[in-house]
Amino acid sequence: MPSTRAVPVTLAEIARIAGVGRAAVSNWRRRHDSFPARIGGTDASPQFSLAEIEQWLRENDKLKEIGGRELLWPGFEALGSRDETGLAIAEAGRRMLDGKAPASVPPLSEQAGELVDEAVALGRREGAREVFEFLLQRWLDAHVRQVSASPRPLADLMAQVALAARPAPSADGGTTVLDPACGAGHLLEAAARAQTRAEAARITLLGCDSDPALAALAAARLAFVVDEAGGAGKTSAGGARVTADVREGDSLRDDPHERAAADVVLCNPPFNERDWGYEELSTDRRWVHGLPPRTESELAWVQHALARLRPGGTAVLLLPPAVASRRAGRRIRGALLRSGLLRAVIALPPGCAQPHSVSLHLWLLRAPEGTGPAEDNGVLLADAAASRRAAAGREGGVDWDALGDFVRTAVAAYGSGAAELPDCARRMAVIELLDDEVDLTPGRHVSPAPGGEELDLEDAWSGFGEVLAGLRAAGRALSALEPAGDGGGGQPKTTVGDLARAGALTLRGGQQPPDGTVRGGEPGEGGLPLLTVPDLLQGGGPTGWLHASDVSGRGMPVAMPGDVVVAGVIRAFAAWVHQGPPTVLGAQLYALRVEPEKMDAWFLAGCLRAPSNGRQAGTHASSASRVDVRRLQVLQLPLAEQLRYSEVFRRLTEFEEFRGRLDELASRLARDISDGLATGRLSAGR
């Protein structure tokens, strides 16, 4: 039966429901008189009744497999209230598990209740976990500016580091993991994954969040984890492998898990909070190392985590870099160092989590065994943001495999007392850090080539020579070109618009993705990289990605290998033959796909990227002006002659690439030689 909910949907949402591009929906609307009439919006952005659209799609056999979940989400989104939508999704998850998760409060509205019924019914048909995770991810995407979630690779890394450094299991053979600001439960779920993969011992997950919707969602999410673990088998003691207890509450002011003794604390706490309870908690017994200043809420979370650890327990927190250096917190940082509780500070590359432009830090803390002072093993300072090893193969995003390998290796080497540490990692004596600033920023204490390591100048000079030889070869080929006899003015030209009308190419313009659909870092499963003009201005590749369903649902153009991509703004004007993986194009980027029997892609790109071409096609005189891609000019030549030009354009592209690599290698050599001379690792000779 079609849904009877009066929910408005846009053309883009209809496309996503049907699993087609937006152009296909517009075509249906033009060709079929039976297509539902507009109920709202504007002519440019019309809205339609979800119930009528669903009925029409079913009657015309255009509802794909993806439709079940996609039909469900607009109703949840139409609830309007962020909290009610989140609580409704949590209640749906709870009921899919036959009430095994705590009930959400307050009671839901009638409209939300109907949606929950539909979600439960869909979950029974398509898989409860799959439907719940789909709705949860859509909710997180829709509220990405309000809800800071730990990306799965980062959550897994934090859990692995903490569990590897934790003490031996407690007397009952289990491990208790606490997240006092658990959000939607990303870190606790990661802890369950890491524990159950490593061994069959029991794990207890304790979570708390002051946001009712997040607490309810985390409880439902972990209920699925518990259900799956319980179904997979029992431990030798006969208990469930995973148990979970998530509660709503403010951990700093009134901790519902106050009596818990955790083996591991994982936390991505709120950043830069002023109203964290400074006045009412001024005499709290947790502030063993000093009352956190009003502006240092993160240091309150650090001490709270330590207070919840059992002897020998381990805590890993994700913190902004300012916590390591702000003057207001130096007294507490000094106390943490002197007590031996702070074991490591690891700087992560930008892009690992929100805010993506900042190099966030991981703090590793360890409670002392028994009543004596903690073992003095120094402090590990590691800068993954500067490590060549952690950045290997990275193109505008985070190489999670390389980063994880660097962090795990550094922590393992530090924990074992090994003298050898990875590059950009250093074990420092506490006394070295106890100066007037107590600055724990790793970049201030480690360098890309730590003392004692050999500078790899031989390979750098070898690469420099190879690139220089390639540059010379490309230069010789280009220097053989001769001026045209008539100055080139007599060559006939055409435009991209004329070529498109003649069927020599197809032109598609990029789109601005809707808020909440872009993810940072490397593309996940079913994801496509997103290239934008800001990415080009920063000199890198794609820094975000989209789910394939978002791309197809909105009809966003995808550049395929062999397409010509054009950046349509003067300040970033460029044209090139795309040779990487399928890539979604953002606003002001265009994909041109040539007909091979009529036009050569390298010839087209070479003609288009001439700077004078972009200026002539610009709509204004300023550097921020847009380029009318249809007005860009192309030499009008037969295909055989295009191929001769194409070979020269390829040589020119090689020349530019060699020039860029030479500049990069020269900068690296200058930096390393300067650093080697200044630190005494290179001799100036006699």
Side-chain angles (χ1 to χ4, degrees):
M1 288 286 294
S3 170
T4 58
R5 288 179 278 110
V7 176
V9 289
T10 64
L11 289 173
E13 289 170 328
I14 296 170
R16 185 155 54 187
I17 290 169
V20 299
R22 181 170 173 173
V25 180
S26 298
N27 192 36
W28 294 342
R29 191 183 177 201
R30 286 194 302 269
R31 291 175 52 199
H32 297 279
D33 294 336
S34 60
F35 194 87
R38 174 165 68 93
I39 63 169
T42 64
D43 289 338
S45 182
Q47 293 180 335
F48 305 85
S49 164
L50 175 61
E52 294 177 2
I53 288 295
E54 180 181 354
Q55 182 174 348
W56 188 88
L57 291 173
R58 291 187 187 281
E59 290 174 350
N60 289 271
D61 196 27
K62 297 185 183 297
L63 196 59
K64 307 295 183 184
E65 246 180 66
I66 196 174
R69 300 175 203 173
E70 293 290 354
L71 277 168
L72 195 58
W73 172 247
F76 280 93
E77 193 172 34
L79 290 175
S81 166
R82 164 192 173 278
D83 288 349
E84 185 177 22
T85 304
L87 290 169
I89 294 170
E91 175 65 11
R94 186 185 78 86
R95 287 181 49 190
M96 288 178 198
L97 287 168
D98 298 324
K100 293 178 183 178
S104 60
V105 290
L108 299 174
S109 66
E110 182 179 351
Q111 183 182 1
E114 292 177 0
L115 286 167
V116 169
D117 292 339
E118 291 186 38
V120 172
L122 184 63
R124 288 172 182 155
R125 295 194 303 271
E126 299 188 5
R129 181 73 183 267
E130 290 75 11
V131 171
F132 173 77
E133 288 291 343
F134 170 83
L135 293 172
L136 173 60
Q137 190 58 54
R138 279 298 174 87
W139 185 84
L140 290 170
D141 293 343
H143 304 290
V144 67
R145 297 178 185 273
Q146 303 166 345
V147 179
S148 179
S150 304
R152 177 166 178 159
L154 177 60
D156 285 339
L157 178 59
M158 292 174 64
Q160 291 162 10
V161 168
L163 288 170
R166 77 192 190 283
S170 36
D172 63 358
T175 299
T176 298
V177 181
L178 168 68
D179 185 346
C182 68
H186 292 75
L187 291 174
L188 291 173
E189 185 184 38
R193 276 196 302 271
Q195 176 79 348
T196 53
R197 285 176 184 170
E199 55 187 74
R202 293 192 303 277
I203 182 169
T204 300
L205 307 173
L206 304 178
C208 176
D209 202 280
S210 58
D211 186 314
L214 285 172
L217 287 166
R221 185 182 208 174
L222 295 178
F224 280 100
V225 175
V226 171
D227 184 65
E228 291 175 358
K234 305 289 183 178
T235 64
S236 58
R241 182 176 298 166
V242 182
T243 58
D245 181 6
V246 179
R247 305 182 189 181
E248 178 192 344
D250 186 331
S251 290
L252 292 183
R253 288 184 170 91
D254 186 16
D255 187 4
H257 296 299
E258 183 177 7
R259 298 183 181 277
D263 300 282
V264 170
V265 173
L266 296 171
C267 191
N268 178 359
F271 296 167
N272 301 319
E273 279 200 333
R274 295 300 181 97
D275 184 24
W276 58 268
Y278 174 78
E279 288 85 0
E280 59 263 46
L281 298 175
S282 59
T283 59
D284 196 282
R285 61 183 181 181
R286 288 170 292 181
W287 315 144
V288 174
H289 308 288
L291 172 65
R294 187 189 304 275
T295 57
E296 294 282 346
S297 62
E298 297 87 0
L299 289 176
W301 286 103
V302 168
Q303 295 193 75
H304 173 75
L306 287 168
R308 295 295 172 262
L309 288 175
R310 75 174 178 88
T314 301
V316 175
L317 288 85
L318 182 69
L319 301 173
V323 181
S325 60
R326 275 192 297 235
R327 189 169 181 80
R330 68 188 187 282
R331 182 167 58 88
I332 294 178
R333 292 195 299 271
L336 292 172
L337 289 173
R338 282 188 289 269
S339 63
L341 298 174
L342 181 58
R343 297 302 182 92
V345 177
I346 302 169
L348 303 175
C352 285
Q354 294 177 320
H356 291 289
S357 61
V358 174
S359 173
L360 299 172
H361 289 179
L362 290 181
W363 281 33
L364 173 63
L365 302 109
R366 179 81 178 269
E369 300 272 6
T371 57
E375 178 186 358
D376 185 7
N377 198 26
V379 179
L380 171 67
L381 297 180
D383 191 357
S387 168
R388 293 172 188 163
R389 175 180 174 183
R394 190 175 63 208
E395 297 180 356
V398 178
D399 186 333
W400 287 106
D401 290 337
L403 174 61
D405 181 61
F406 170 82
V407 172
R408 287 187 292 267
T409 302
V411 172
Y414 164 78
S416 66
E420 294 284 335
L421 292 173
D423 66 308
C424 294
R426 181 183 177 190
R427 186 197 313 272
M428 295 191 66
V430 169
I431 192 65
E432 295 182 81
L433 297 168
L434 291 175
D435 55 16
D436 290 341
E437 299 298 326
V438 196
D439 191 338
L440 305 180
T441 305
R444 305 272 171 85
H445 303 282
V446 300
S447 64
E453 285 193 7
E454 293 294 329
L455 285 169
D456 191 14
L457 294 180
E458 184 176 349
D459 285 348
W461 279 117
S462 175
F464 184 85
E466 291 174 3
V467 172
L468 191 59
L471 186 64
R472 284 173 176 160
R476 281 195 298 269
L478 294 173
S479 66
L481 297 175
E482 298 179 353
D486 59 355
Q491 287 276 31
K493 296 182 177 67
T494 186
T495 65
V496 169
D498 289 338
L499 290 170
R501 284 188 288 272
L505 58 83
T506 56
L507 171 64
R508 294 162 297 148
Q511 301 176 21
Q512 179 66 37
D515 288 345
T517 59
V518 181
R519 285 86 169 166
E522 293 295 310
E525 184 177 354
L528 293 171
L530 169 69
L531 182 66
T532 65
V533 168
D535 292 335
L536 297 177
L537 291 172
Q538 293 169 10
T543 56
W545 60 278
L546 296 167
H547 278 301
S549 59
D550 291 323
V551 175
S552 61
R554 291 173 170 81
M556 299 187 70
V558 177
M560 304 299 290
D563 287 353
V564 176
V565 179
V566 180
V569 289
I570 291 295
R571 59 179 177 167
F573 179 67
W576 66 94
V577 178
H578 181 64
Q579 296 177 292
T583 300
V584 186
L585 301 182
Q588 302 308 315
L589 293 175
Y590 301 84
L592 286 70
R593 184 166 299 168
V594 302
E595 292 295 331
E597 63 276 7
K598 297 182 179 180
M599 175 152 288
D600 180 77
W602 284 91
F603 168 76
L604 176 63
C607 289
L608 295 182
R609 68 166 170 259
S612 58
N613 206 356
R615 287 194 297 270
Q616 291 172 1
T619 55
H620 301 286
S622 72
S623 64
S625 66
R626 299 178 180 181
V627 173
D628 185 348
V629 175
R630 291 183 174 274
R631 291 172 52 196
L632 290 173
Q633 296 186 339
V634 182
L635 289 174
Q636 198 167 0
L637 299 173
L639 184 60
E641 197 167 347
Q642 288 181 31
L643 294 177
R644 290 198 295 272
Y645 274 74
S646 174
E647 184 59 32
V648 178
F649 281 134
R650 286 175 187 265
R651 284 282 191 178
L652 182 58
T653 300
E654 288 178 4
F655 184 83
E656 293 173 337
E657 290 174 352
F658 280 128
R659 182 196 59 78
R661 289 169 58 191
L662 188 68
D663 182 63
E664 180 183 346
L665 279 168
S667 297
R668 173 186 161 190
L669 280 165
R671 182 182 65 246
D672 287 355
I673 291 172
S674 175
D675 189 61
L677 289 170
T679 57
R681 287 177 294 122
L682 281 180
S683 171
R686 295 185 181 275

PDB file of all heavy atoms in Angstrom, residues 24 31 37 84 113-114 256 279 296 440 453 477 560 647 674:
ATOM      1  N   ALA A  24      16.317  12.264 -15.313  1.00  0.00           N
ATOM      2  CA  ALA A  24      15.308  11.257 -15.651  1.00  0.00           C
ATOM      3  C   ALA A  24      13.958  11.630 -15.059  1.00  0.00           C
ATOM      4  O   ALA A  24      12.910  11.459 -15.704  1.00  0.00           O
ATOM      5  CB  ALA A  24      15.752   9.890 -15.144  1.00  0.00           C
ATOM      6  N   ARG A  31       7.017  13.903 -19.973  1.00  0.00           N
ATOM      7  CA  ARG A  31       6.444  12.918 -20.890  1.00  0.00           C
ATOM      8  C   ARG A  31       5.156  12.279 -20.401  1.00  0.00           C
ATOM      9  O   ARG A  31       4.350  11.810 -21.197  1.00  0.00           O
ATOM     10  CB  ARG A  31       7.474  11.818 -21.163  1.00  0.00           C
ATOM     11  CG  ARG A  31       8.669  12.278 -21.971  1.00  0.00           C
ATOM     12  CD  ARG A  31       9.695  11.161 -22.094  1.00  0.00           C
ATOM     13  NE  ARG A  31       9.086   9.932 -22.581  1.00  0.00           N
ATOM     14  CZ  ARG A  31       9.641   8.723 -22.448  1.00  0.00           C
ATOM     15  NH1 ARG A  31      10.791   8.603 -21.834  1.00  0.00           N
ATOM     16  NH2 ARG A  31       9.032   7.655 -22.923  1.00  0.00           N
ATOM     17  N   ALA A  37       0.933  16.328  -9.761  1.00  0.00           N
ATOM     18  CA  ALA A  37       1.067  17.778  -9.867  1.00  0.00           C
ATOM     19  C   ALA A  37       1.852  18.328  -8.687  1.00  0.00           C
ATOM     20  O   ALA A  37       1.909  17.735  -7.608  1.00  0.00           O
ATOM     21  CB  ALA A  37      -0.316  18.422  -9.923  1.00  0.00           C
ATOM     22  N   GLU A  84      13.088  15.232  17.994  1.00  0.00           N
ATOM     23  CA  GLU A  84      12.009  14.275  17.776  1.00  0.00           C
ATOM     24  C   GLU A  84      12.395  13.251  16.709  1.00  0.00           C
ATOM     25  O   GLU A  84      12.108  12.056  16.837  1.00  0.00           O
ATOM     26  CB  GLU A  84      10.723  14.990  17.369  1.00  0.00           C
ATOM     27  CG  GLU A  84       9.540  14.015  17.254  1.00  0.00           C
ATOM     28  CD  GLU A  84       8.235  14.699  16.915  1.00  0.00           C
ATOM     29  OE1 GLU A  84       8.265  15.818  16.365  1.00  0.00           O
ATOM     30  OE2 GLU A  84       7.174  14.109  17.194  1.00  0.00           O
ATOM     31  N   GLY A 113       5.082   8.370  15.626  1.00  0.00           N
ATOM     32  CA  GLY A 113       4.737   6.980  15.917  1.00  0.00           C
ATOM     33  C   GLY A 113       4.417   6.190  14.661  1.00  0.00           C
ATOM     34  O   GLY A 113       4.794   5.022  14.533  1.00  0.00           O
ATOM     35  N   GLU A 114       3.715   6.829  13.709  1.00  0.00           N
ATOM     36  CA  GLU A 114       3.415   6.155  12.447  1.00  0.00           C
ATOM     37  C   GLU A 114       4.703   5.843  11.679  1.00  0.00           C
ATOM     38  O   GLU A 114       4.847   4.773  11.076  1.00  0.00           O
ATOM     39  CB  GLU A 114       2.495   7.035  11.594  1.00  0.00           C
ATOM     40  CG  GLU A 114       1.089   7.194  12.168  1.00  0.00           C
ATOM     41  CD  GLU A 114       0.237   8.126  11.324  1.00  0.00           C
ATOM     42  OE1 GLU A 114       0.764   8.628  10.299  1.00  0.00           O
ATOM     43  OE2 GLU A 114      -0.932   8.364  11.675  1.00  0.00           O
ATOM     44  N   PRO A 256      25.923   9.631  35.846  1.00  0.00           N
ATOM     45  CA  PRO A 256      25.137   8.433  36.180  1.00  0.00           C
ATOM     46  C   PRO A 256      26.004   7.188  36.360  1.00  0.00           C
ATOM     47  O   PRO A 256      25.533   6.182  36.881  1.00  0.00           O
ATOM     48  CB  PRO A 256      24.189   8.283  34.985  1.00  0.00           C
ATOM     49  CG  PRO A 256      24.866   8.977  33.861  1.00  0.00           C
ATOM     50  CD  PRO A 256      25.645  10.101  34.471  1.00  0.00           C
ATOM     51  N   GLU A 279      31.569  26.980  38.219  1.00  0.00           N
ATOM     52  CA  GLU A 279      31.240  27.490  39.555  1.00  0.00           C
ATOM     53  C   GLU A 279      30.788  26.377  40.498  1.00  0.00           C
ATOM     54  O   GLU A 279      31.332  26.208  41.592  1.00  0.00           O
ATOM     55  CB  GLU A 279      30.132  28.556  39.469  1.00  0.00           C
ATOM     56  CG  GLU A 279      30.570  29.880  38.877  1.00  0.00           C
ATOM     57  CD  GLU A 279      30.508  29.872  37.359  1.00  0.00           C
ATOM     58  OE1 GLU A 279      30.118  28.819  36.783  1.00  0.00           O
ATOM     59  OE2 GLU A 279      30.853  30.901  36.754  1.00  0.00           O
ATOM     60  N   GLU A 296      39.104  26.113  30.078  1.00  0.00           N
ATOM     61  CA  GLU A 296      39.771  24.833  29.820  1.00  0.00           C
ATOM     62  C   GLU A 296      38.840  23.665  30.155  1.00  0.00           C
ATOM     63  O   GLU A 296      39.161  22.794  30.962  1.00  0.00           O
ATOM     64  CB  GLU A 296      41.062  24.734  30.648  1.00  0.00           C
ATOM     65  CG  GLU A 296      42.121  25.723  30.258  1.00  0.00           C
ATOM     66  CD  GLU A 296      42.853  25.312  28.996  1.00  0.00           C
ATOM     67  OE1 GLU A 296      42.738  24.150  28.574  1.00  0.00           O
ATOM     68  OE2 GLU A 296      43.546  26.167  28.413  1.00  0.00           O
ATOM     69  N   LEU A 440      53.093  20.990  25.296  1.00  0.00           N
ATOM     70  CA  LEU A 440      53.148  19.581  24.911  1.00  0.00           C
ATOM     71  C   LEU A 440      52.840  19.371  23.427  1.00  0.00           C
ATOM     72  O   LEU A 440      52.593  18.236  23.006  1.00  0.00           O
ATOM     73  CB  LEU A 440      52.155  18.775  25.754  1.00  0.00           C
ATOM     74  CG  LEU A 440      52.316  18.903  27.274  1.00  0.00           C
ATOM     75  CD1 LEU A 440      51.268  18.048  27.985  1.00  0.00           C
ATOM     76  CD2 LEU A 440      53.709  18.500  27.701  1.00  0.00           C
ATOM     77  N   GLU A 453      68.930  10.072  13.387  1.00  0.00           N
ATOM     78  CA  GLU A 453      68.585   9.447  12.114  1.00  0.00           C
ATOM     79  C   GLU A 453      69.400  10.077  10.991  1.00  0.00           C
ATOM     80  O   GLU A 453      69.732  11.254  11.017  1.00  0.00           O
ATOM     81  CB  GLU A 453      67.096   9.621  11.801  1.00  0.00           C
ATOM     82  CG  GLU A 453      66.203   8.728  12.622  1.00  0.00           C
ATOM     83  CD  GLU A 453      64.793   8.711  12.063  1.00  0.00           C
ATOM     84  OE1 GLU A 453      64.565   9.285  10.987  1.00  0.00           O
ATOM     85  OE2 GLU A 453      63.926   8.114  12.716  1.00  0.00           O
ATOM     86  N   ALA A 477      61.768  18.817 -26.699  1.00  0.00           N
ATOM     87  CA  ALA A 477      60.685  18.541 -27.648  1.00  0.00           C
ATOM     88  C   ALA A 477      59.858  19.792 -27.910  1.00  0.00           C
ATOM     89  O   ALA A 477      59.474  20.080 -29.053  1.00  0.00           O
ATOM     90  CB  ALA A 477      59.805  17.415 -27.114  1.00  0.00           C
ATOM     91  N   MET A 560      34.565  10.747 -15.526  1.00  0.00           N
ATOM     92  CA  MET A 560      35.142   9.430 -15.739  1.00  0.00           C
ATOM     93  C   MET A 560      36.497   9.577 -16.423  1.00  0.00           C
ATOM     94  O   MET A 560      36.788  10.607 -17.039  1.00  0.00           O
ATOM     95  CB  MET A 560      34.202   8.576 -16.603  1.00  0.00           C
ATOM     96  CG  MET A 560      32.790   8.448 -16.046  1.00  0.00           C
ATOM     97  SD  MET A 560      32.742   7.660 -14.414  1.00  0.00           S
ATOM     98  CE  MET A 560      33.189   5.986 -14.866  1.00  0.00           C
ATOM     99  N   GLU A 647      49.656  15.221 -29.279  1.00  0.00           N
ATOM    100  CA  GLU A 647      50.953  14.740 -28.816  1.00  0.00           C
ATOM    101  C   GLU A 647      51.763  15.878 -28.195  1.00  0.00           C
ATOM    102  O   GLU A 647      52.433  15.708 -27.171  1.00  0.00           O
ATOM    103  CB  GLU A 647      51.721  14.107 -29.979  1.00  0.00           C
ATOM    104  CG  GLU A 647      53.047  13.484 -29.580  1.00  0.00           C
ATOM    105  CD  GLU A 647      52.905  12.387 -28.537  1.00  0.00           C
ATOM    106  OE1 GLU A 647      51.865  11.687 -28.550  1.00  0.00           O
ATOM    107  OE2 GLU A 647      53.829  12.235 -27.709  1.00  0.00           O
ATOM    108  N   SER A 674      69.002  22.514   5.296  1.00  0.00           N
ATOM    109  CA  SER A 674      69.000  23.577   6.307  1.00  0.00           C
ATOM    110  C   SER A 674      68.846  23.000   7.709  1.00  0.00           C
ATOM    111  O   SER A 674      69.573  23.373   8.640  1.00  0.00           O
ATOM    112  CB  SER A 674      67.872  24.573   6.008  1.00  0.00           C
ATOM    113  OG  SER A 674      67.771  25.536   7.027  1.00  0.00           O
TER     114      SER A 674
END
